[in-house]
Amino acid sequence: MSAPNKFAVLLKPSDVQPALDRAAQYARMVPEIEVVAIRVINDFKDSEKEQITLRETSAFEQLKRKYSSIQNFSLKVVFNKDVAKGFIDAAQEEDCSLEVISANKRHTLRDMFVSSIDSSIMRKSRLPLLVVKQATQTATLGQNVILAIDFTEVAHIEKLDEVLYNAASKFASAFDGVVHVANCISPENSGLMGGNLEQSKILSSVGAVSLDKIQHQLAEEFAKKHNIKKENMHLLNGRMDEEIPRLSETLNARMVCMGSTPRSTFFGSLNSSASELVLEQIKGDIFIVNADTLK
């Protein structure tokens, strides 16, 4: 069983560490949080491992002085040609409850279709994952946390909804903020690009029922179950990667919580996922739980 407040943070090979900045912010609020800084070395020779470990240990001592708010702080040096796999495996070996990484910027068209390190971690992580863009940027954002759900999505899992809602509630509580639920129906034809979906119908015992009506019913049930105010439920029609960023900007949200469901056919033809595309367009962090880990 993972320790409830043990974070695995992927260290970047640079002086800028947004993920570590965010972990330090949480550690100030909850001093019991334990942070394991994981440095993955992917360019090495076996004969150099000892020297590299000594170098990284020395650099970590400087980090400890900079991040004095982290009272329980340790380093794990990993040698693996695959940075994403090395980090994911190390986080699980350390019995962590949350992975925290910094988002790498994409600069070219090729980057949209070839997995970068953060993209690979987002898809393969076996633990809940927090992706941080700029730790300082959230100071200018509001306190709202968005929980993005598509209740009618083909791979929808109710257990995932509960895990995400509990996480969103804890984050909102830490920020003294509010959870907003975005119920988003994604079009089966990705070419619709957020078009009018009212024409879509589902047959029931009482005749044809529109997706919009089903969406409203499911959203109302979820809101009632969790005592969510009506004004905090947002019913959206369109692509999740378009509608969630719009809502995030409107609410000035500091975080989006959502599931990653690779079994879904929505993005099956692209080497990407909805969570990655949302991340590219929002200002705050994104919290992701991979549905496959809930089997």
Side-chain angles (χ1 to χ4, degrees):
M1 177 65 69
S2 299
N5 286 317
K6 192 172 185 180
F7 295 178
V9 179
L10 178 62
L11 292 182
K12 301 185 71 172
S14 67
D15 294 331
V16 181
Q17 302 285 349
L20 195 52
D21 291 341
R22 179 69 75 248
Q25 291 172 0
Y26 287 125
R28 279 194 289 271
M29 294 186 288
V30 185
E32 295 79 18
I33 286 177
E34 181 179 351
V35 176
V36 181
I38 299 176
R39 178 74 171 96
V40 183
I41 309 297
N42 66 337
D43 185 11
F44 61 91
K45 297 178 181 177
D46 289 340
S47 60
E48 300 172 338
K49 285 185 178 181
E50 184 176 354
Q51 182 180 357
I52 293 174
T53 301
L54 290 173
R55 184 190 69 204
E56 295 299 330
T57 302
S58 177
F60 178 68
E61 290 303 315
Q62 297 182 16
L63 274 182
K64 288 179 70 174
R65 290 191 289 271
K66 179 179 179 182
Y67 293 96
S68 57
S69 63
I70 305 176
Q71 298 181 17
N72 304 296
F73 202 9
S74 61
L75 171 70
K76 185 179 183 68
V77 180
V78 176
F79 294 91
N80 196 313
K81 300 295 184 181
D82 185 336
V83 175
K85 186 177 187 305
F87 173 67
I88 292 171
D89 290 346
Q92 197 157 39
E93 289 169 6
E94 290 293 319
D95 198 28
C96 294
S97 57
L98 176 70
E99 296 172 346
V100 189
I101 66 172
S102 306
N104 294 315
K105 293 182 178 179
R106 293 181 172 90
H107 299 286
T108 67
L109 181 62
R110 177 177 178 271
D111 291 333
M112 295 176 64
F113 299 96
V114 178
S115 295
S116 60
I117 293 171
D118 55 309
S119 297
S120 185
I121 293 173
M122 289 169 72
R123 297 173 198 168
K124 300 176 182 178
S125 178
R126 298 184 290 273
L127 295 173
L129 174 67
L130 182 64
V131 187
V132 182
K133 300 189 79 170
Q134 293 183 25
T136 56
Q137 192 173 45
T138 55
T140 63
L141 295 174
Q143 298 166 309
N144 293 317
V145 174
I146 296 176
L147 170 56
I149 300 177
D150 178 357
F151 292 113
T152 59
E153 196 253 344
V154 66
H156 178 246
I157 301 173
E158 290 186 7
K159 184 178 179 180
L160 178 60
D161 295 345
E162 297 305 311
V163 170
L164 288 169
Y165 177 77
N166 289 334
S169 298
K170 290 178 181 179
F171 282 123
S173 178
F175 305 141
D176 193 24
V178 176
V179 175
H180 289 255
V181 177
N183 178 21
C184 189
I185 289 184
S186 300
E188 292 184 7
N189 180 356
S190 58
L192 289 176
M193 298 294 287
N196 186 356
L197 303 180
E198 291 182 353
Q199 59 188 346
S200 300
K201 304 287 183 181
I202 293 179
L203 294 179
S204 71
S205 59
V206 295
V209 181
S210 70
L211 283 178
D212 278 352
K213 186 172 182 179
I214 292 176
Q215 181 188 39
H216 278 75
Q217 291 174 345
L218 294 173
E220 287 175 0
E221 291 173 6
F222 188 83
K224 183 178 180 180
K225 179 179 180 180
H226 296 288
N227 296 315
I228 300 171
K229 295 180 179 179
K230 184 177 181 180
E231 59 266 29
N232 295 336
M233 291 293 300
H234 305 271
L235 306 180
L236 310 172
N237 281 333
R239 288 175 49 134
M240 183 175 286
D241 60 302
E242 294 177 343
E243 300 302 325
I244 297 303
R246 288 193 189 108
L247 181 62
S248 180
E249 184 175 1
T250 299
L251 296 176
N252 199 29
R254 63 185 301 133
M255 178 181 288
V256 172
C257 298
M258 63 189 297
S260 174
T261 54
R263 292 185 304 281
S264 171
T265 58
F266 177 37
F267 283 99
S269 61
L270 293 177
N271 185 21
S272 189
S273 69
S275 53
E276 293 175 61
L277 296 174
V278 169
L279 175 65
E280 291 297 312
Q281 302 174 74
I282 64 172
K283 296 179 181 178
D285 300 342
I286 187 166
F287 175 81
I288 303 167
V289 176
N290 190 325
D292 280 350
T293 64
L294 302 178
K295 290 181 178 180

